[in-house]
Amino acid sequence: MWSLEVSTVPALEPWTLEEAKDHLRITHSDDDAYLDALILATRNWMESRLSKALMSQTLKLRLQNWPCSGVIHLPRPPLVSVSSVAYTDTDGTAQTWGASNYTAETYDHPGTVRPAYGISYPSLRYTPNNVVITYVAGYGSRGLIPQTIRQAGLLVMGTLFENRETLITGTVVNQLPVLDMLLDNDTCYHEFSEDCG
């Protein structure tokens, strides 16, 4: 079992208010607060849909055990850095595993943590959330986010802005497959290894 939480949200959103207004052809400021909310909602939805972190943020992955494969896959790439690997030892004491004991691979997709050569994972007490890995993931700036993702986000905002209710009546609506075309190559699928024991 595992869980993931965002412990520090991004300082910036992937799209500026000006970009959203330009895409929607809005020249007034009456809807600025609503558009800010749409930008946040779009980022949250896109990160869930793509299983990626769009802007730099701190995440905490909690595991019940070390994986049998020895490799811990860190959700929501791209991985920037691992801040800490903590665990509960057999005496029930919280420990931080020294950085020299593991390697963090930022080039893997998604990023991974594994023991350094010749090192084994320490023994754990078998309780929930035994292992907590704190790490930073996301693109370092808006300009590093793939343009297909940025464009898809603008399309989502446009749809949400124009359709403020969940039902549309009296119209025939056909959806173009543009959103899926833009996002399919950027979706990150990965599996977590089974826990040992």
Side-chain angles (χ1 to χ4, degrees), residues 63-66 84-98 101-102 120-125 127-133:
L63 304 170
Q64 187 167 338
N65 203 349
W66 305 113
S84 67
V85 176
Y87 65 97
T88 304
D89 68 16
T90 54
D91 294 327
T93 304
Q95 302 284 352
T96 299
W97 207 31
N101 292 316
Y102 61 87
S120 298
Y121 284 122
S123 297
L124 300 173
R125 173 169 282 197
T127 57
N129 302 318
N130 274 335
V131 179
V132 180
I133 302 169

Side-chain angles (χ1 to χ4, degrees), residues 124-145:
L124 300 173
R125 173 169 282 197
Y126 291 103
T127 57
N129 302 318
N130 274 335
V131 179
V132 180
I133 302 169
T134 304
Y135 62 100
V136 177
Y139 296 97
S141 69
R142 293 178 180 116
L144 294 176
I145 299 173

